[in-house]
Amino acid sequence: MGTTKAVPAHAARSAIKPQEKFQSVPASLISLRFLNILTAIDETGSLSGAAKRLGLTQSAISQAMQAFEDSLGQRLFDRSLRPPAFTMTGRLILKHAGEIIERTQQLEHALRFSAQAQLPLLRLGVIDTFATTVIPHLINDLGDIASNWSVKSGAEETSISAVLEHRADLIITSDDPARHANLAVRFILREPYCLVLPKAAPDPGDDIGKLSEHLDFVHYSKSLHMREEVDRYLGDNGVRTKNKYQFSSIEAVMAMVAGGLGWSIATPLALLKARHHISSLQCLPLPNANMQRAICLVGHEGESDKVMDKIFKSTVGILKQNILPEVRALCPHLGGLIKVDKRV
């Protein structure tokens, strides 16, 4: 836990003088700051690790912990050990610190989504296929619900953990929320997976294994949510791939297939994102499967219901009026298989 030097016992005792330095600062704010620092030290295992995580200097961390000890009148670390270890008091505080911090974060999140006219900031995680298609329409429609928008795409930003860890207020995702409690979920649509081939490639019929005899499979990186579904389908159909090509971008996968470098599996919305390659692709129903991708809006239960409802209704309306007509024009035989929520 760092290299803090030991001090003589009498010096440590003399340094502990309760409530001398912080009478002008609200104790509750100091307590929360101290708890965050103490938890970071425990989780990273060192003062330097805590400093890096919290964006502070190691000296600031050390001084804050000394101040905490002064205010408590008890030592939190046994500095005679190398590295310093938590005392019983330190461990007692740590036992409760995590829950206090989590509850505080939940309260702050709930207050941000209270009945105020406008949010100061809305943090939205959005899957790649929505980022450039739906989001411009959504912000144009609902831009006034927040003073500032932070919209991020990518697997990490649209994972359920982004909501659970309060890195995002809401996410539009294909990650499965069913394994997690205390989440509010609005299902937006379901779309089929389809076979994507170079324009000149022969139709494999029901035997997609033939494709790998002549073409490499262009795969998604493991960071993308759809990778797991695609792997399961390939395994169920006895298709072995060399994974010669892997990309973290759906558009990059489509570009490789359009260039005749392989074949892949995608969804109609993915094809819409890569629409400028569509003339070099053929999109066929996926043999031997009724595999679909579910896309939903996820947030914290009871904390953001009004904002969720607005975003959900707007998103579904945008899909029906703006996005699905484009998909049907690009892939007539697939666009009609996308099922959007009918309640809106």
Side-chain angles (χ1 to χ4, degrees), residues 63-127:
Q63 291 173 17
M65 288 297 92
Q66 184 66 61
F68 197 10
E69 290 179 321
D70 289 350
S71 67
L72 292 172
Q74 299 188 54
R75 285 186 295 170
L76 304 177
F77 306 96
D78 184 348
R79 294 179 175 82
S80 67
L81 301 176
R82 293 290 187 275
F86 286 105
T87 62
M88 290 182 64
T89 300
R91 284 293 169 194
L92 177 63
I93 294 173
L94 277 172
K95 180 180 178 181
H96 299 281
E99 182 178 358
I100 292 171
I101 293 169
E102 182 179 358
R103 292 297 182 98
T104 303
Q105 290 175 337
Q106 290 174 353
L107 175 59
E108 291 174 345
H109 188 82
L111 290 174
R112 289 182 61 246
F113 283 93
S114 63
Q116 58 186 307
Q118 189 178 59
L119 298 172
L121 172 66
L122 177 63
R123 301 171 301 166
L124 184 63
V126 184
I127 56 173

Short mmCIF file of all heavy atoms in Angstrom, two decimals, residues 63-127:
data_model
loop_
_atom_site.label_atom_id
_atom_site.label_comp_id
_atom_site.label_asym_id
_atom_site.label_seq_id
_atom_site.Cartn_x
_atom_site.Cartn_y
_atom_site.Cartn_z
N GLN A 63 -1.92 13.08 2.86
CA GLN A 63 -2.36 14.16 3.73
C GLN A 63 -3.84 14.01 4.10
O GLN A 63 -4.24 14.28 5.24
CB GLN A 63 -2.12 15.50 3.05
CG GLN A 63 -0.66 15.87 2.91
CD GLN A 63 -0.46 17.13 2.08
OE1 GLN A 63 -1.40 17.90 1.87
NE2 GLN A 63 0.77 17.34 1.63
N ALA A 64 -4.66 13.57 3.13
CA ALA A 64 -6.08 13.39 3.41
C ALA A 64 -6.30 12.30 4.46
O ALA A 64 -7.14 12.45 5.35
CB ALA A 64 -6.82 13.04 2.12
N MET A 65 -5.55 11.21 4.35
CA MET A 65 -5.71 10.13 5.32
C MET A 65 -5.21 10.54 6.71
O MET A 65 -5.79 10.17 7.73
CB MET A 65 -4.97 8.88 4.84
CG MET A 65 -5.65 8.18 3.67
SD MET A 65 -7.33 7.55 4.08
CE MET A 65 -8.37 8.95 3.59
N GLN A 66 -4.16 11.34 6.75
CA GLN A 66 -3.70 11.86 8.03
C GLN A 66 -4.75 12.77 8.66
O GLN A 66 -5.01 12.72 9.86
CB GLN A 66 -2.38 12.62 7.85
CG GLN A 66 -1.77 13.12 9.16
CD GLN A 66 -1.33 11.96 10.05
OE1 GLN A 66 -0.48 11.17 9.65
NE2 GLN A 66 -1.91 11.85 11.23
N ALA A 67 -5.38 13.59 7.81
CA ALA A 67 -6.44 14.47 8.29
C ALA A 67 -7.64 13.66 8.79
O ALA A 67 -8.28 14.02 9.79
CB ALA A 67 -6.87 15.42 7.17
N PHE A 68 -7.95 12.57 8.09
CA PHE A 68 -9.05 11.70 8.52
C PHE A 68 -8.76 11.11 9.90
O PHE A 68 -9.62 11.08 10.79
CB PHE A 68 -9.24 10.60 7.48
CG PHE A 68 -10.57 9.88 7.57
CD1 PHE A 68 -11.60 10.32 8.39
CD2 PHE A 68 -10.79 8.74 6.81
CE1 PHE A 68 -12.81 9.67 8.46
CE2 PHE A 68 -12.00 8.05 6.88
CZ PHE A 68 -13.02 8.52 7.71
N GLU A 69 -7.55 10.64 10.07
CA GLU A 69 -7.15 10.10 11.37
C GLU A 69 -7.22 11.18 12.45
O GLU A 69 -7.67 10.92 13.58
CB GLU A 69 -5.73 9.54 11.28
CG GLU A 69 -5.64 8.26 10.45
CD GLU A 69 -4.23 7.73 10.35
OE1 GLU A 69 -3.28 8.54 10.23
OE2 GLU A 69 -4.07 6.49 10.39
N ASP A 70 -6.80 12.38 12.13
CA ASP A 70 -6.86 13.48 13.10
C ASP A 70 -8.30 13.76 13.52
O ASP A 70 -8.59 13.97 14.70
CB ASP A 70 -6.24 14.74 12.50
CG ASP A 70 -4.73 14.64 12.34
OD1 ASP A 70 -4.15 13.67 12.87
OD2 ASP A 70 -4.14 15.53 11.70
N SER A 71 -9.20 13.78 12.54
CA SER A 71 -10.59 14.09 12.84
C SER A 71 -11.27 13.00 13.65
O SER A 71 -12.15 13.27 14.45
CB SER A 71 -11.36 14.33 11.54
OG SER A 71 -11.48 13.15 10.79
N LEU A 72 -10.84 11.75 13.43
CA LEU A 72 -11.42 10.62 14.16
C LEU A 72 -10.79 10.43 15.54
O LEU A 72 -11.43 9.90 16.46
CB LEU A 72 -11.24 9.32 13.36
CG LEU A 72 -12.02 9.18 12.07
CD1 LEU A 72 -11.57 7.92 11.33
CD2 LEU A 72 -13.51 9.11 12.34
N GLY A 73 -9.54 10.82 15.64
CA GLY A 73 -8.81 10.56 16.88
C GLY A 73 -8.34 9.12 16.97
O GLY A 73 -8.03 8.62 18.06
N GLN A 74 -8.29 8.41 15.83
CA GLN A 74 -7.84 7.02 15.80
C GLN A 74 -7.03 6.78 14.55
O GLN A 74 -7.24 7.44 13.53
CB GLN A 74 -9.04 6.06 15.83
CG GLN A 74 -9.91 6.17 17.05
CD GLN A 74 -10.95 5.06 17.10
OE1 GLN A 74 -10.62 3.88 17.01
NE2 GLN A 74 -12.21 5.45 17.24
N ARG A 75 -6.12 5.81 14.66
CA ARG A 75 -5.30 5.49 13.50
C ARG A 75 -6.04 4.50 12.59
O ARG A 75 -6.68 3.57 13.05
CB ARG A 75 -3.96 4.90 13.94
CG ARG A 75 -2.99 5.94 14.49
CD ARG A 75 -1.65 5.32 14.76
NE ARG A 75 -1.73 4.32 15.83
CZ ARG A 75 -0.74 3.49 16.15
NH1 ARG A 75 0.38 3.50 15.45
NH2 ARG A 75 -0.87 2.63 17.13
N LEU A 76 -5.91 4.72 11.28
CA LEU A 76 -6.51 3.83 10.29
C LEU A 76 -5.49 2.87 9.69
O LEU A 76 -5.86 1.86 9.10
CB LEU A 76 -7.13 4.66 9.15
CG LEU A 76 -8.18 5.70 9.58
CD1 LEU A 76 -8.65 6.48 8.37
CD2 LEU A 76 -9.33 5.03 10.28
N PHE A 77 -4.19 3.20 9.83
CA PHE A 77 -3.12 2.40 9.26
C PHE A 77 -2.07 2.11 10.33
O PHE A 77 -1.76 2.98 11.16
CB PHE A 77 -2.45 3.12 8.08
CG PHE A 77 -3.38 3.56 7.01
CD1 PHE A 77 -3.89 4.86 6.99
CD2 PHE A 77 -3.78 2.68 6.02
CE1 PHE A 77 -4.75 5.27 6.01
CE2 PHE A 77 -4.65 3.09 5.03
CZ PHE A 77 -5.15 4.38 5.02
N ASP A 78 -1.53 0.93 10.28
CA ASP A 78 -0.37 0.59 11.10
C ASP A 78 0.86 0.84 10.25
O ASP A 78 1.23 0.04 9.40
CB ASP A 78 -0.45 -0.88 11.53
CG ASP A 78 0.69 -1.26 12.47
OD1 ASP A 78 1.64 -0.47 12.60
OD2 ASP A 78 0.62 -2.34 13.08
N ARG A 79 1.49 1.98 10.48
CA ARG A 79 2.61 2.39 9.65
C ARG A 79 3.93 1.77 10.07
O ARG A 79 4.97 2.05 9.47
CB ARG A 79 2.70 3.91 9.64
CG ARG A 79 1.50 4.59 8.96
CD ARG A 79 1.62 6.10 8.99
NE ARG A 79 0.55 6.75 8.24
CZ ARG A 79 -0.66 6.98 8.71
NH1 ARG A 79 -0.98 6.59 9.95
NH2 ARG A 79 -1.57 7.58 7.96
N SER A 80 3.89 0.95 11.11
CA SER A 80 5.12 0.25 11.49
C SER A 80 5.38 -0.95 10.58
O SER A 80 6.45 -1.54 10.61
CB SER A 80 5.04 -0.21 12.95
OG SER A 80 4.04 -1.23 13.11
N LEU A 81 4.36 -1.31 9.78
CA LEU A 81 4.48 -2.44 8.87
C LEU A 81 4.85 -1.96 7.48
O LEU A 81 4.62 -0.81 7.12
CB LEU A 81 3.17 -3.23 8.83
CG LEU A 81 2.67 -3.80 10.16
CD1 LEU A 81 1.31 -4.45 9.97
CD2 LEU A 81 3.67 -4.79 10.73
N ARG A 82 5.43 -2.84 6.70
CA ARG A 82 5.79 -2.56 5.31
C ARG A 82 5.14 -3.60 4.40
O ARG A 82 5.52 -4.76 4.45
CB ARG A 82 7.32 -2.60 5.11
CG ARG A 82 8.06 -1.49 5.81
CD ARG A 82 7.77 -0.13 5.15
NE ARG A 82 8.62 0.92 5.73
CZ ARG A 82 8.33 1.59 6.83
NH1 ARG A 82 7.20 1.31 7.47
NH2 ARG A 82 9.16 2.50 7.28
N PRO A 83 4.16 -3.26 3.55
CA PRO A 83 3.55 -1.93 3.49
C PRO A 83 2.60 -1.72 4.66
O PRO A 83 2.24 -2.69 5.34
CB PRO A 83 2.80 -1.96 2.17
CG PRO A 83 2.42 -3.39 2.00
CD PRO A 83 3.58 -4.19 2.56
N PRO A 84 2.18 -0.48 4.92
CA PRO A 84 1.24 -0.22 6.01
C PRO A 84 -0.03 -1.05 5.84
O PRO A 84 -0.47 -1.30 4.73
CB PRO A 84 0.96 1.28 5.88
CG PRO A 84 2.17 1.83 5.20
CD PRO A 84 2.60 0.76 4.24
N ALA A 85 -0.59 -1.47 6.95
CA ALA A 85 -1.81 -2.29 6.92
C ALA A 85 -2.93 -1.54 7.64
O ALA A 85 -2.69 -0.69 8.49
CB ALA A 85 -1.55 -3.63 7.60
N PHE A 86 -4.17 -1.86 7.27
CA PHE A 86 -5.30 -1.25 7.94
C PHE A 86 -5.39 -1.74 9.38
O PHE A 86 -5.20 -2.94 9.66
CB PHE A 86 -6.60 -1.59 7.21
CG PHE A 86 -6.77 -0.84 5.92
CD1 PHE A 86 -6.60 -1.49 4.70
CD2 PHE A 86 -7.11 0.51 5.92
CE1 PHE A 86 -6.76 -0.80 3.51
CE2 PHE A 86 -7.27 1.20 4.73
CZ PHE A 86 -7.09 0.54 3.53
N THR A 87 -5.72 -0.84 10.29
CA THR A 87 -5.99 -1.21 11.67
C THR A 87 -7.42 -1.74 11.76
O THR A 87 -8.17 -1.73 10.77
CB THR A 87 -5.84 0.00 12.59
OG1 THR A 87 -6.82 1.00 12.20
CG2 THR A 87 -4.45 0.60 12.49
N MET A 88 -7.83 -2.17 12.94
CA MET A 88 -9.20 -2.63 13.12
C MET A 88 -10.20 -1.50 12.82
O MET A 88 -11.25 -1.73 12.24
CB MET A 88 -9.40 -3.14 14.55
CG MET A 88 -8.67 -4.44 14.83
SD MET A 88 -8.96 -5.06 16.52
CE MET A 88 -10.73 -5.37 16.45
N THR A 89 -9.84 -0.28 13.21
CA THR A 89 -10.71 0.86 12.91
C THR A 89 -10.82 1.08 11.40
O THR A 89 -11.90 1.32 10.87
CB THR A 89 -10.18 2.14 13.58
OG1 THR A 89 -10.14 1.94 15.00
CG2 THR A 89 -11.06 3.34 13.26
N GLY A 90 -9.68 0.99 10.72
CA GLY A 90 -9.70 1.14 9.28
C GLY A 90 -10.57 0.10 8.61
O GLY A 90 -11.35 0.41 7.69
N ARG A 91 -10.47 -1.15 9.06
CA ARG A 91 -11.28 -2.22 8.49
C ARG A 91 -12.76 -2.02 8.81
O ARG A 91 -13.63 -2.33 7.99
CB ARG A 91 -10.80 -3.58 9.04
CG ARG A 91 -9.52 -4.07 8.39
CD ARG A 91 -9.77 -4.40 6.95
NE ARG A 91 -8.53 -4.64 6.22
CZ ARG A 91 -8.44 -4.69 4.91
NH1 ARG A 91 -9.51 -4.50 4.16
NH2 ARG A 91 -7.29 -4.91 4.31
N LEU A 92 -13.05 -1.52 9.99
CA LEU A 92 -14.44 -1.27 10.37
C LEU A 92 -15.07 -0.23 9.45
O LEU A 92 -16.20 -0.39 8.98
CB LEU A 92 -14.51 -0.80 11.82
CG LEU A 92 -15.91 -0.43 12.33
CD1 LEU A 92 -16.84 -1.64 12.31
CD2 LEU A 92 -15.82 0.16 13.75
N ILE A 93 -14.33 0.84 9.17
CA ILE A 93 -14.85 1.89 8.28
C ILE A 93 -15.01 1.34 6.87
O ILE A 93 -16.01 1.61 6.20
CB ILE A 93 -13.90 3.10 8.30
CG1 ILE A 93 -13.91 3.74 9.68
CG2 ILE A 93 -14.32 4.12 7.24
CD1 ILE A 93 -12.89 4.84 9.85
N LEU A 94 -14.04 0.56 6.41
CA LEU A 94 -14.13 -0.02 5.07
C LEU A 94 -15.35 -0.91 4.92
O LEU A 94 -15.95 -0.99 3.85
CB LEU A 94 -12.86 -0.81 4.75
CG LEU A 94 -11.67 -0.02 4.24
CD1 LEU A 94 -10.45 -0.93 4.17
CD2 LEU A 94 -11.95 0.58 2.87
N LYS A 95 -15.70 -1.61 5.99
CA LYS A 95 -16.84 -2.53 5.94
C LYS A 95 -18.12 -1.81 5.54
O LYS A 95 -18.98 -2.35 4.84
CB LYS A 95 -17.01 -3.19 7.30
CG LYS A 95 -18.17 -4.17 7.38
CD LYS A 95 -18.28 -4.79 8.77
CE LYS A 95 -19.47 -5.74 8.85
NZ LYS A 95 -19.59 -6.33 10.21
N HIS A 96 -18.24 -0.54 5.94
CA HIS A 96 -19.46 0.22 5.66
C HIS A 96 -19.29 1.21 4.50
O HIS A 96 -20.28 1.71 3.96
CB HIS A 96 -19.89 0.99 6.91
CG HIS A 96 -20.20 0.12 8.08
ND1 HIS A 96 -21.40 -0.56 8.21
CD2 HIS A 96 -19.46 -0.22 9.17
CE1 HIS A 96 -21.39 -1.26 9.33
NE2 HIS A 96 -20.23 -1.07 9.93
N ALA A 97 -18.03 1.51 4.15
CA ALA A 97 -17.78 2.58 3.19
C ALA A 97 -18.40 2.30 1.81
O ALA A 97 -18.99 3.18 1.19
CB ALA A 97 -16.28 2.79 3.03
N GLY A 98 -18.25 1.05 1.33
CA GLY A 98 -18.76 0.73 0.00
C GLY A 98 -20.24 0.96 -0.13
O GLY A 98 -20.71 1.55 -1.12
N GLU A 99 -21.01 0.53 0.87
CA GLU A 99 -22.46 0.71 0.81
C GLU A 99 -22.84 2.18 0.89
O GLU A 99 -23.75 2.64 0.19
CB GLU A 99 -23.13 -0.06 1.95
CG GLU A 99 -24.65 0.04 1.92
CD GLU A 99 -25.31 -0.77 3.03
OE1 GLU A 99 -24.58 -1.44 3.78
OE2 GLU A 99 -26.55 -0.72 3.14
N ILE A 100 -22.12 2.94 1.73
CA ILE A 100 -22.41 4.37 1.87
C ILE A 100 -22.16 5.08 0.54
O ILE A 100 -22.97 5.89 0.08
CB ILE A 100 -21.55 4.99 2.97
CG1 ILE A 100 -21.98 4.45 4.34
CG2 ILE A 100 -21.66 6.52 2.96
CD1 ILE A 100 -21.04 4.83 5.47
N ILE A 101 -21.03 4.77 -0.10
CA ILE A 101 -20.70 5.40 -1.38
C ILE A 101 -21.72 5.03 -2.45
O ILE A 101 -22.18 5.88 -3.22
CB ILE A 101 -19.27 4.99 -1.81
CG1 ILE A 101 -18.24 5.58 -0.86
CG2 ILE A 101 -18.99 5.44 -3.25
CD1 ILE A 101 -16.84 5.03 -1.05
N GLU A 102 -22.09 3.75 -2.49
CA GLU A 102 -23.06 3.31 -3.50
C GLU A 102 -24.41 3.97 -3.30
O GLU A 102 -25.04 4.44 -4.26
CB GLU A 102 -23.22 1.79 -3.44
CG GLU A 102 -24.17 1.24 -4.49
CD GLU A 102 -24.30 -0.27 -4.44
OE1 GLU A 102 -23.62 -0.90 -3.59
OE2 GLU A 102 -25.09 -0.82 -5.23
N ARG A 103 -24.87 4.05 -2.04
CA ARG A 103 -26.16 4.69 -1.78
C ARG A 103 -26.12 6.18 -2.13
O ARG A 103 -27.11 6.73 -2.64
CB ARG A 103 -26.53 4.51 -0.30
CG ARG A 103 -26.86 3.08 0.11
CD ARG A 103 -28.08 2.56 -0.62
NE ARG A 103 -28.42 1.21 -0.20
CZ ARG A 103 -29.35 0.92 0.71
NH1 ARG A 103 -30.04 1.90 1.26
NH2 ARG A 103 -29.61 -0.32 1.03
N THR A 104 -25.00 6.82 -1.87
CA THR A 104 -24.85 8.23 -2.21
C THR A 104 -24.91 8.43 -3.72
O THR A 104 -25.56 9.36 -4.22
CB THR A 104 -23.53 8.79 -1.66
OG1 THR A 104 -23.48 8.59 -0.25
CG2 THR A 104 -23.39 10.27 -1.96
N GLN A 105 -24.23 7.55 -4.47
CA GLN A 105 -24.28 7.63 -5.92
C GLN A 105 -25.70 7.43 -6.43
O GLN A 105 -26.14 8.12 -7.37
CB GLN A 105 -23.34 6.58 -6.53
CG GLN A 105 -21.87 6.87 -6.33
CD GLN A 105 -20.99 5.75 -6.85
OE1 GLN A 105 -21.42 4.59 -6.97
NE2 GLN A 105 -19.74 6.07 -7.15
N GLN A 106 -26.41 6.49 -5.83
CA GLN A 106 -27.79 6.25 -6.24
C GLN A 106 -28.66 7.47 -5.97
O GLN A 106 -29.53 7.83 -6.78
CB GLN A 106 -28.34 5.03 -5.51
CG GLN A 106 -27.72 3.72 -5.94
CD GLN A 106 -28.17 2.55 -5.11
OE1 GLN A 106 -28.87 2.71 -4.09
NE2 GLN A 106 -27.79 1.34 -5.50
N LEU A 107 -28.45 8.11 -4.83
CA LEU A 107 -29.21 9.30 -4.49
C LEU A 107 -28.91 10.43 -5.46
O LEU A 107 -29.82 11.10 -5.96
CB LEU A 107 -28.88 9.75 -3.06
CG LEU A 107 -29.53 11.07 -2.60
CD1 LEU A 107 -31.04 10.98 -2.67
CD2 LEU A 107 -29.07 11.41 -1.19
N GLU A 108 -27.63 10.65 -5.76
CA GLU A 108 -27.26 11.70 -6.71
C GLU A 108 -27.88 11.43 -8.08
O GLU A 108 -28.36 12.35 -8.75
CB GLU A 108 -25.74 11.77 -6.83
CG GLU A 108 -25.04 12.30 -5.58
CD GLU A 108 -23.53 12.22 -5.69
OE1 GLU A 108 -23.04 11.51 -6.60
OE2 GLU A 108 -22.85 12.86 -4.88
N HIS A 109 -27.84 10.14 -8.49
CA HIS A 109 -28.42 9.78 -9.79
C HIS A 109 -29.92 10.05 -9.80
O HIS A 109 -30.47 10.60 -10.77
CB HIS A 109 -28.15 8.30 -10.05
CG HIS A 109 -28.53 7.84 -11.43
ND1 HIS A 109 -27.73 8.03 -12.53
CD2 HIS A 109 -29.64 7.21 -11.87
CE1 HIS A 109 -28.32 7.53 -13.59
NE2 HIS A 109 -29.48 7.03 -13.22
N ALA A 110 -30.61 9.68 -8.72
CA ALA A 110 -32.06 9.88 -8.64
C ALA A 110 -32.40 11.36 -8.66
O ALA A 110 -33.37 11.79 -9.30
CB ALA A 110 -32.60 9.22 -7.38
N LEU A 111 -31.62 12.17 -7.96
CA LEU A 111 -31.88 13.61 -7.92
C LEU A 111 -31.69 14.25 -9.29
O LEU A 111 -32.41 15.17 -9.66
CB LEU A 111 -30.96 14.28 -6.89
CG LEU A 111 -31.27 13.96 -5.42
CD1 LEU A 111 -30.20 14.54 -4.52
CD2 LEU A 111 -32.65 14.48 -5.03
N ARG A 112 -30.70 13.74 -10.04
CA ARG A 112 -30.46 14.28 -11.37
C ARG A 112 -31.65 14.03 -12.29
O ARG A 112 -31.91 14.78 -13.22
CB ARG A 112 -29.20 13.68 -11.98
CG ARG A 112 -27.92 14.14 -11.34
CD ARG A 112 -26.71 13.54 -12.01
NE ARG A 112 -26.66 13.94 -13.42
CZ ARG A 112 -26.79 13.09 -14.43
NH1 ARG A 112 -26.98 11.80 -14.20
NH2 ARG A 112 -26.71 13.50 -15.66
N PHE A 113 -32.38 12.93 -12.03
CA PHE A 113 -33.52 12.58 -12.87
C PHE A 113 -34.85 12.90 -12.19
O PHE A 113 -35.86 12.27 -12.45
CB PHE A 113 -33.48 11.09 -13.22
CG PHE A 113 -32.48 10.77 -14.28
CD1 PHE A 113 -31.19 10.38 -13.94
CD2 PHE A 113 -32.80 10.88 -15.61
CE1 PHE A 113 -30.25 10.09 -14.92
CE2 PHE A 113 -31.88 10.58 -16.60
CZ PHE A 113 -30.60 10.21 -16.25
N SER A 114 -34.82 13.87 -11.30
CA SER A 114 -36.06 14.27 -10.64
C SER A 114 -36.91 15.07 -11.60
O SER A 114 -36.62 15.19 -12.78
CB SER A 114 -35.73 15.08 -9.38
OG SER A 114 -35.07 16.28 -9.72
N ALA A 115 -37.94 15.69 -11.09
CA ALA A 115 -38.92 16.36 -11.96
C ALA A 115 -38.46 17.72 -12.47
O ALA A 115 -39.28 18.53 -12.89
CB ALA A 115 -40.23 16.52 -11.19
N GLN A 116 -37.17 17.97 -12.46
CA GLN A 116 -36.69 19.25 -12.96
C GLN A 116 -36.95 19.37 -14.46
O GLN A 116 -37.07 18.38 -15.18
CB GLN A 116 -35.19 19.40 -12.69
CG GLN A 116 -34.34 18.30 -13.29
CD GLN A 116 -32.90 18.42 -12.87
OE1 GLN A 116 -32.30 19.47 -13.03
NE2 GLN A 116 -32.35 17.35 -12.35
N ALA A 117 -37.05 20.61 -14.92
CA ALA A 117 -37.41 20.85 -16.32
C ALA A 117 -36.32 20.37 -17.27
O ALA A 117 -36.61 19.86 -18.34
CB ALA A 117 -37.67 22.33 -16.53
N GLN A 118 -35.06 20.52 -16.88
CA GLN A 118 -33.97 20.15 -17.77
C GLN A 118 -32.82 19.55 -16.98
O GLN A 118 -32.41 20.08 -15.95
CB GLN A 118 -33.49 21.38 -18.54
CG GLN A 118 -32.50 21.07 -19.65
CD GLN A 118 -32.09 22.33 -20.40
OE1 GLN A 118 -31.56 23.26 -19.81
NE2 GLN A 118 -32.34 22.35 -21.71
N LEU A 119 -32.29 18.44 -17.48
CA LEU A 119 -31.14 17.82 -16.82
C LEU A 119 -29.88 18.62 -17.14
O LEU A 119 -29.73 19.10 -18.26
CB LEU A 119 -30.96 16.39 -17.32
CG LEU A 119 -32.09 15.40 -17.04
CD1 LEU A 119 -31.83 14.10 -17.77
CD2 LEU A 119 -32.23 15.16 -15.56
N PRO A 120 -28.96 18.72 -16.19
CA PRO A 120 -27.69 19.40 -16.51
C PRO A 120 -26.84 18.60 -17.48
O PRO A 120 -26.13 19.15 -18.31
CB PRO A 120 -27.01 19.53 -15.14
CG PRO A 120 -27.64 18.47 -14.29
CD PRO A 120 -29.05 18.34 -14.77
N LEU A 121 -26.92 17.26 -17.38
CA LEU A 121 -26.14 16.38 -18.26
C LEU A 121 -26.84 15.04 -18.40
O LEU A 121 -27.28 14.47 -17.41
CB LEU A 121 -24.73 16.16 -17.68
CG LEU A 121 -23.85 15.12 -18.39
CD1 LEU A 121 -23.50 15.59 -19.80
CD2 LEU A 121 -22.58 14.84 -17.59
N LEU A 122 -26.92 14.55 -19.62
CA LEU A 122 -27.44 13.21 -19.88
C LEU A 122 -26.34 12.38 -20.51
O LEU A 122 -25.82 12.73 -21.57
CB LEU A 122 -28.65 13.26 -20.82
CG LEU A 122 -29.25 11.90 -21.21
CD1 LEU A 122 -29.79 11.18 -19.98
CD2 LEU A 122 -30.35 12.08 -22.26
N ARG A 123 -25.97 11.29 -19.83
CA ARG A 123 -24.92 10.40 -20.33
C ARG A 123 -25.58 9.17 -20.95
O ARG A 123 -26.20 8.38 -20.24
CB ARG A 123 -23.98 10.00 -19.19
CG ARG A 123 -23.30 11.19 -18.52
CD ARG A 123 -22.57 10.74 -17.27
NE ARG A 123 -23.50 10.12 -16.34
CZ ARG A 123 -23.11 9.39 -15.28
NH1 ARG A 123 -21.83 9.18 -15.05
NH2 ARG A 123 -24.02 8.86 -14.46
N LEU A 124 -25.44 9.04 -22.25
CA LEU A 124 -26.14 8.00 -22.99
C LEU A 124 -25.14 7.11 -23.73
O LEU A 124 -24.29 7.60 -24.47
CB LEU A 124 -27.10 8.65 -23.99
CG LEU A 124 -28.01 7.74 -24.82
CD1 LEU A 124 -28.97 6.98 -23.93
CD2 LEU A 124 -28.78 8.58 -25.84
N GLY A 125 -25.22 5.81 -23.48
CA GLY A 125 -24.43 4.85 -24.23
C GLY A 125 -25.28 4.26 -25.35
O GLY A 125 -26.43 3.89 -25.11
N VAL A 126 -24.73 4.18 -26.55
CA VAL A 126 -25.53 3.78 -27.71
C VAL A 126 -24.75 2.78 -28.57
O VAL A 126 -23.57 3.01 -28.87
CB VAL A 126 -25.88 5.01 -28.58
CG1 VAL A 126 -26.78 4.60 -29.73
CG2 VAL A 126 -26.55 6.08 -27.74
N ILE A 127 -25.39 1.70 -28.95
CA ILE A 127 -24.73 0.74 -29.83
C ILE A 127 -24.36 1.40 -31.14
O ILE A 127 -24.99 2.35 -31.58
CB ILE A 127 -25.61 -0.50 -30.09
CG1 ILE A 127 -26.97 -0.11 -30.65
CG2 ILE A 127 -25.74 -1.35 -28.85
CD1 ILE A 127 -27.80 -1.29 -31.07
#
